[in-house]
Amino acid sequence: MTKEYKTIVEVSGPLIFLEKTEPVGYGELVQINLPDGTTKRGQVLDTSADMVVVQVFEGTVGLNEESGVVFSGETIKLPVSKDMLGRILSGAGEPLDGGPRIIPDKRVDINGASMNPYSRMPPEDFIQTGISTIDGTNTLVRGQKLPIFSGSGLPHNEIALQIARQAKVPGSDEPFAVVFAAMGITNEEAQYFMEDFEKTGALERAVVFLNLADDPAVERIVTPRMALTAAEYLAYEHDMHVLVILTDITNYCEALRQMGAAREEVPGRRGYPGYMYTDLASLYERAGVIKGIKGSVTQFSILTMPGDDITHPIPDLSGYITEGQIVVSRELHRKGIYPPINVLPSLSRLMNSGIGEGKTRDDHKAVSDQMYAAYAEGRDLRGLVAIVGKEALSERDRMLLEFADLFEDRFVRQSRDEDRTIDDTLRIAWEILAELPEAQLTRIDNKYLDKYHPAHQKSE
């Protein structure tokens, strides 16, 4: 028989404190019965010989010492089924789209099983996002974890939705799915996400989890784990290639800080808990490819850097764990360029293993290196022009200065619904590189110049 404990001694924010319970497990699911007959759900946050701390999902309004607490004996589990595709769920996994509850094939612990490092396969398959600054210069590879570092007011949500609509493995007929989890978003943003998914038809191959800003902080901590559990199920049980998009990791970390303060933990850097690195790693490290299994989990995590500070603990710790970063630039956004991705501080550490002959194209690496070098030099010259004027520049420097403007206007800029293939991206790259003299294209082998340079193609 299940015991109900009426031993609440304190209610503090989202937490309740109980005494005189039998031993309970950490992370155990709890049902709280209120005196008016309603119920709330919670999770064991801390357990000791004389006190148990429970965090309440729906908030503690209305709870008092007369409320009863029932321990379930199990951790939070997500009911999973292939029928999840095409559904919009709350951060706790409840339907938000007016549809019926999901009839599960099974229920899976949301904390997931750790991936044996030996069983991991090195990621090497190219994923095409249709965005040139990602595909061309910071390529995403299947099984990679690649965050987008953005700032408040920048169009990171539009970029996320564009990736969710367009992402695919070119030339492959293997099933592809997107799991989209939004944490701490406003109702307006939630409506925008739902309308975009339904309008573009992307919802057919997606599972969407929405945790709103007025939902409990506790639920925000659960949401990304729900999403990753759904992704692992689709990838490892149904051999699908799953792209997980998490936005916004900053809201998740704020929820961690809020819960740490409620538990009266000793704060770490800038008030965030000392274990935030480990906690973030428990999310990011769930991406990967496993030997002998066809499916894969790839992660795009979006985080807004408070004050555009890349040294802030959230982007700082994320950069240690993930395999690179895509940086969204306020300067490019002010120029009216979309997507405002700055390729110079951006990096994909696994790019070289996912490009080249048989994957993208044989000239991809050389073209990317040459464009990066020329754009970096052109950007530096802008600072010099502000001091000495354009007239003082040499002919070579003037060309590089014009190349930087051309790069931003032709290569970086594209419309919100423009889905460029990798061939389109490389064609545009060659067209703007052709504005420079061939003698300056020192990073590109002559065989690629003969094969792909527009001047040589016209002469053939």
Side-chain angles (χ1 to χ4, degrees):
M1 183 179 164
T2 310
K3 283 187 180 178
E4 183 179 71
Y5 294 91
K6 294 197 174 184
T7 56
I8 296 175
V9 292
E10 187 185 345
V11 178
S12 172
L15 307 181
I16 58 174
F17 297 80
L18 294 93
E19 60 180 9
K20 301 187 182 113
T21 66
E22 290 183 9
V24 294
Y26 180 79
E28 198 170 308
L29 208 54
V30 170
Q31 181 178 308
I32 301 141
N33 301 319
L34 276 66
D36 63 1
T38 58
T39 62
K40 296 192 176 195
R41 293 178 309 148
Q43 185 181 22
V44 174
L45 202 61
D46 205 355
T47 175
S48 62
D50 52 1
M51 188 71 73
V52 174
V53 184
V54 173
Q55 55 184 6
V56 184
F57 290 159
E58 294 92 350
T60 51
V61 176
L63 286 177
N64 59 29
E65 293 172 358
E66 293 300 311
S67 303
V69 178
V70 179
F71 296 97
S72 68
E74 61 175 29
T75 55
I76 300 178
K77 289 184 165 63
L78 176 69
V80 291
S81 159
K82 208 171 178 185
D83 296 334
M84 296 172 84
L85 288 167
R87 298 299 304 272
I88 298 173
L89 309 171
S90 74
E94 300 293 327
L96 284 182
D97 51 10
R101 282 175 167 271
I102 290 162
I103 299 169
D105 290 342
K106 61 178 180 177
R107 294 162 56 79
V108 185
D109 187 334
I110 64 163
N111 293 304
S114 56
M115 209 183 283
N116 184 338
Y118 180 75
S119 68
R120 281 183 184 270
M121 286 264 290
E124 57 180 17
D125 294 318
F126 166 65
I127 290 181
Q128 181 176 290
T129 64
I131 296 173
S132 289
T133 40
I134 297 175
D135 295 345
T137 53
N138 299 285
T139 311
L140 177 68
V141 182
R142 202 150 64 185
Q144 186 174 3
K145 41 193 180 289
L146 190 63
I148 294 179
F149 288 4
S150 185
S152 60
L154 296 179
H156 43 267
N157 286 335
E158 285 87 342
I159 295 170
L161 283 170
Q162 188 169 356
I163 293 167
R165 287 195 305 270
Q166 297 177 176
K168 62 180 80 69
V169 179
S172 168
D173 56 358
E174 294 172 321
F176 192 90
V178 174
V179 174
F180 190 96
M183 296 162 273
I185 60 168
T186 62
N187 272 294
E188 184 185 2
E189 289 172 318
Q191 288 300 322
Y192 173 65
F193 284 141
M194 287 161 75
E195 283 170 17
D196 190 90
F197 270 107
E198 287 166 1
K199 183 175 68 182
T200 59
L203 190 60
E204 288 177 16
R205 58 165 192 170
V207 187
V208 182
F209 291 86
L210 298 178
N211 165 265
L212 303 180
D214 57 352
D215 287 337
V218 182
E219 188 182 290
R220 208 156 298 146
I221 294 169
V222 169
T223 304
R225 292 178 169 82
M226 291 269 182
L228 288 161
T229 302
E232 287 167 351
Y233 170 76
L234 293 171
Y236 305 140
E237 306 263 338
H238 291 284
D239 296 338
M240 298 182 86
H241 296 293
V242 186
L243 177 64
V244 182
I245 300 174
L246 304 175
T247 179
D248 179 344
I249 291 292
T250 303
N251 291 339
Y252 171 83
C253 293
E254 295 292 348
L256 271 186
R257 181 162 69 173
Q258 188 179 331
M259 295 311 304
R263 289 158 68 176
E264 299 180 358
E265 294 170 345
V266 178
R269 206 159 40 128
R270 301 212 193 173
Y272 292 96
Y275 52 79
M276 190 164 79
Y277 179 83
T278 312
D279 195 284
L280 286 172
S282 72
L283 300 180
Y284 295 141
E285 288 293 327
R286 288 173 74 172
V289 185
I290 298 177
K291 289 176 188 171
I293 294 179
K294 288 181 183 175
S296 63
V297 176
T298 308
Q299 248 189 61
F300 246 128
S301 307
I302 296 167
L303 57 92
T304 49
M305 301 178 287
D308 291 354
D309 179 12
I310 204 165
T311 66
H312 186 278
I314 301 169
D316 190 35
L317 296 177
S318 294
Y320 282 123
I321 306 163
T322 55
E323 290 134 1
Q325 70 276 337
I326 305 290
V327 179
V328 181
S329 159
R330 199 171 293 280
E331 181 193 344
L332 290 175
H333 182 58
R334 285 196 187 112
K335 288 182 178 179
I337 292 171
Y338 175 89
I341 293 170
N342 185 356
V343 301
L344 299 183
S346 299
L347 168 71
S348 171
R349 293 194 182 101
L350 300 183
M351 174 174 172
N352 290 348
S353 61
I355 63 172
E357 198 167 0
K359 293 173 183 174
T360 54
R361 213 167 73 181
D362 53 357
D363 61 326
H364 189 158
K365 172 75 174 141
V367 168
S368 173
D369 289 350
Q370 184 63 65
M371 279 202 304
Y372 187 97
Y375 179 57
E377 211 169 332
R379 281 276 298 248
D380 288 343
L381 286 165
R382 285 176 182 168
L384 187 62
V385 166
I387 300 165
V388 301
K390 200 171 181 179
E391 293 72 24
L393 296 183
S394 67
E395 183 63 29
R396 176 185 179 278
D397 286 352
R398 268 203 290 271
M399 283 179 146
L400 287 168
L401 192 65
E402 285 165 11
F403 176 85
D405 293 336
L406 199 60
F407 178 84
E408 289 174 359
D409 197 53
R410 293 279 318 278
F411 189 81
V412 180
R413 188 196 298 272
Q414 59 186 92
S415 66
R416 283 169 164 75
D417 55 0
E418 186 178 355
D419 186 1
R420 292 180 183 170
T421 65
I422 188 62
D423 288 328
D424 291 337
T425 292
L426 292 172
R427 175 181 52 76
I428 293 166
W430 274 109
E431 284 171 4
I432 58 175
L433 284 171
E435 298 296 318
L436 297 173
E438 281 189 40
Q440 286 188 37
L441 304 180
T442 54
R443 293 169 184 262
I444 302 179
D445 198 293
N446 284 336
K447 66 180 179 183
Y448 298 139
L449 288 171
D450 294 340
K451 189 174 178 183
Y452 297 110
H453 196 289
H456 293 273
Q457 292 193 329
K458 284 172 189 169
S459 62
E460 285 173 7

